[in-house]
Amino acid sequence: MHNTLAPKYIAAIDQGTTSTRFILFDHAGAIVAVEQREHNQIYPKPGWVEHDPLEIWMRTQEVIGAGLAKAGVAATEIAALGITNQRETTIVWDKVSGQPVYNAIVWQDTRTDEICNQLARDGGQDRLRAKTGLPLATYFSGPKIKWILDNVPDARTRAENGELFFGNIDTWLIWNLTGVHVTDVTNAGRTLLMNLHTLDWDEEILALLDIPCAMLPQIRSSSEVYGAARAPLGGVAVAGDLGDQHAALFGQTCFQPGEAKNTYGTGCFMLLNTGEAPVESKNGLLTTLAYKIGDQKAVYALEGSIAITGALVQWLRDNLGLIEKSADVETLARTVSDNGGIYFVPAFSGLFAPYWRSDARGAIVGMTRFVTKGHIARAALESTAYQTREVLDAMEKDSGVKLTALKVDGGMVFNETLMQFQSDLLGVPVIRPKVAETTALGAAYAAGLAVGFWKDFDELRTNWGLDKAWSPQMESEQRASLYAGWKKAVTRTFDWV
């Protein structure tokens, strides 16, 4: 048992696409305090999405300070800090001054399409899949690094002289917190530069993309002490690092092969634990790391990544003004009993899994005079469930595992209409845990395991509690007919650019 002097809390920083959060958890995995701040989304051109890395670091410091103050907790009461982050978002900075040479290029950004197409001309979109588990796509960090080196004056020269560091957001935050230049296997595995089998940077791919190895962080496990944090977390061990989707899998305690979770955030991400061997996808999924705990063997996963889900609700709010706040989408969707015959395919930055079509663009199809804004809201919600079903089908084909239930988390899981429709469309129960903040929780778990705050997986499993489950209520004919309509709608978005 913990004596009264031992630290009582684990802290997590969850640095997401739209905001940064600081969350304190107690030993039972319950939330003690949350502090959140948004940061600016920068859109210099169509298809370009950037963040200011210094703003993100500033927001991170603000949420830490405010979170500690709100909870009345001192740094000495925190056993360790875990970090989880939006993945693939790419920063290159001066390793002495800490000044970024360019804004962070965000995972959704499509400016590297020409680089990716050029590489694909010589060996196809899957030429790096056997080594990295990934197709050539604008999504990943490697081509973004190349773009910065090719387009920012002096960047390549400085990188070759060993003056610049690259990092995804996890690396950027850990470096600012501790001065140590590291990443973990889950984040490194999303760069297109890491070899899945050696868990190290791949020299052939670095040569292909012309990226100097000296820029890259050291690849470590997801759960170990990387360094001690500076103020305001003075002396706290930074001991967990997981990309957001891997952290959610971990926070949902999907520790057995065949266990899966789906996170409904800006995008949607389903991960299936496949055990200690990577499973190569034949159906448009990504082979990725699930997690690696200290010196234990790495655990792999299959992932279906969907680019636009929650972001579509934000778009209805900000670009169309259909709703005032995101939560209103459910109220509007419930003014109608079905989609009125329309489908909304949100291929705003192409289609991710299982298609990987960067030439696709968004479409609403099946429009008639009958359609109202209620139908548009409903079709927007339903698109998330349809895309999830496509990913699940691909997972079952690749892994041979039939999913019996889906654990869900993320901001959209409080949308009851969506969760019921999701269960109807999949034909399996959809299960929401008590702590819906599973991403931050996963980072906390990784950090806590590293310092002995939690002793093993069993202790984490006992923390998991059911909040609500939805069971399918739809006839199979209706399910098949709706899904066939979706499949047809998707084909209408291809070959647009």
Side-chain angles (χ1 to χ4, degrees):
M1 280 302 292
H2 292 268
N3 64 42
T4 47
L5 297 172
K8 298 196 284 283
Y9 308 110
I10 295 281
I13 292 168
D14 179 353
Q15 204 302 298
T17 308
T18 57
S19 69
T20 306
R21 285 182 300 184
F22 177 74
I23 305 187
L24 280 177
F25 293 95
D26 66 15
H27 197 262
I31 293 175
V32 178
V34 184
E35 192 64 36
Q36 178 167 358
R37 298 268 196 289
E38 292 201 353
H39 57 265
N40 285 314
Q41 304 294 317
I42 304 162
Y43 306 107
K45 295 182 185 180
W48 290 32
V49 190
E50 298 176 3
H51 295 155
D52 174 354
L54 296 173
E55 184 192 5
I56 285 178
W57 171 232
M58 194 165 78
R59 297 286 170 262
T60 303
Q61 295 170 86
E62 287 168 10
V63 292
I64 292 170
L68 292 175
K70 188 157 123 186
V73 167
T76 49
E77 296 178 84
I78 298 172
L81 169 72
I83 288 179
T84 179
N85 56 292
Q86 50 164 324
R87 303 170 303 169
E88 299 98 9
T89 296
T90 299
I91 307 173
V92 174
W93 70 93
D94 182 296
K95 69 182 199 187
V96 179
S97 72
Q99 285 296 313
V101 302
Y102 191 81
N103 274 339
I105 302 182
V106 181
W107 57 276
Q108 300 151 305
D109 186 287
T110 56
R111 78 186 67 188
T112 55
D113 54 353
E114 202 29 64
I115 292 173
C116 294
N117 293 342
Q118 193 63 53
L119 290 164
R121 269 180 213 123
D122 293 342
Q125 192 178 17
D126 284 333
R127 69 184 285 192
L128 303 180
R129 196 184 268 276
K131 279 183 168 184
T132 65
L134 312 173
L136 279 168
T138 59
Y139 184 23
F140 307 111
S141 320
K144 299 184 201 297
I145 303 172
K146 178 174 169 56
W147 188 92
I148 290 173
L149 296 182
D150 289 347
N151 290 279
V152 175
D154 296 335
R156 182 167 293 287
T157 313
R158 290 168 68 195
E160 282 163 0
N161 291 342
E163 294 167 34
L164 301 183
F165 275 165
F166 150 74
N168 293 123
I169 298 276
D170 64 313
T171 301
W172 170 244
L173 293 182
I174 294 171
W175 184 81
N176 276 295
L177 282 162
T178 67
V180 181
H181 189 222
V182 293
T183 188
D184 91 302
V185 292
T186 67
N187 279 292
R190 312 296 293 199
T191 57
L192 262 177
L193 307 175
M194 186 190 85
N195 187 307
L196 274 182
H197 309 281
T198 63
L199 303 183
D200 208 347
W201 304 117
D202 189 283
E203 284 177 19
E204 278 180 29
I205 300 176
L206 292 181
L208 180 70
L209 288 173
D210 203 8
I211 293 171
C213 196
M215 296 179 73
L216 305 179
Q218 188 190 4
I219 302 175
R220 307 272 279 272
S221 82
S222 316
S223 173
E224 62 178 83
V225 177
Y226 312 110
R230 304 174 183 157
L233 283 173
V236 174
V238 181
D241 179 8
L242 286 156
D244 52 13
Q245 305 314 323
H246 317 268
L249 184 78
F250 204 71
Q252 286 271 33
T253 67
C254 296
F255 303 140
Q256 290 295 319
E259 294 189 315
K261 69 88 204 172
N262 197 21
T263 299
Y264 297 78
T266 306
C268 223
F269 302 88
M270 194 189 296
L271 271 74
L272 171 78
N273 181 325
T274 59
E276 290 174 358
V279 173
E280 192 169 334
S281 177
K282 301 277 184 275
N283 294 287
L285 302 177
L286 308 179
T287 304
T288 196
L289 270 293
Y291 51 82
K292 183 181 187 317
I293 303 304
D295 47 23
Q296 296 174 29
K297 277 190 165 165
V299 172
Y300 294 85
L302 279 170
E303 173 175 333
S305 325
I306 305 166
I308 303 282
T309 54
L312 183 53
V313 176
Q314 289 169 332
W315 181 83
L316 294 178
R317 180 193 71 193
D318 300 342
N319 295 43
L320 295 194
L322 270 191
I323 48 176
E324 260 182 49
K325 52 183 198 300
S326 294
D328 297 341
V329 72
E330 184 170 14
T331 317
L332 184 55
R334 290 175 80 150
T335 59
V336 294
S337 57
D338 57 34
N339 64 17
I342 64 166
Y343 292 90
F344 194 154
V345 185
F348 292 171
S349 45
L351 287 165
F352 284 13
Y355 300 99
W356 299 103
R357 299 282 298 245
S358 60
D359 61 1
R361 283 299 174 268
I364 302 176
V365 298
M367 299 286 269
T368 59
R369 286 286 298 266
F370 170 72
V371 169
T372 64
K373 57 188 182 182
H375 294 115
I376 289 175
R378 187 166 182 109
L381 285 183
E382 288 183 353
S383 74
T384 294
Y386 287 121
Q387 293 181 96
T388 298
R389 162 79 189 268
E390 292 190 291
V391 164
L392 186 72
D393 288 355
M395 280 191 176
E396 291 184 343
K397 280 184 200 145
D398 275 341
S399 67
V401 175
K402 201 84 175 123
L403 204 68
T404 52
L406 183 65
K407 286 181 172 178
V408 300
D409 54 69
M412 295 177 87
V413 298
F414 297 101
N415 188 314
E416 308 260 334
T417 309
L418 172 61
M419 291 298 108
Q420 182 58 54
F421 187 74
Q422 185 70 84
S423 177
D424 287 341
L425 206 58
L426 298 180
V428 301
V430 166
I431 300 171
R432 180 174 79 198
K434 277 208 175 72
V435 178
E437 295 288 355
T438 49
T439 304
L441 186 59
Y445 280 170
L449 284 173
V451 298
F453 186 80
W454 287 291
K455 62 176 191 298
D456 55 22
F457 282 1
D458 287 337
E459 201 173 0
L460 302 181
R461 277 195 191 96
T462 58
N463 281 348
W464 192 92
L466 172 80
D467 182 44
K468 181 153 186 181
W470 291 265
S471 299
Q473 294 169 356
M474 189 181 277
E475 296 295 324
S476 56
E477 297 75 46
Q478 191 189 356
R479 177 185 301 144
S481 140
L482 281 168
Y483 190 45
W486 168 262
K487 291 295 232 189
K488 187 172 169 184
V490 171
T491 62
R492 301 297 196 267
T493 69
F494 296 165
D495 297 316
W496 196 259
V497 280

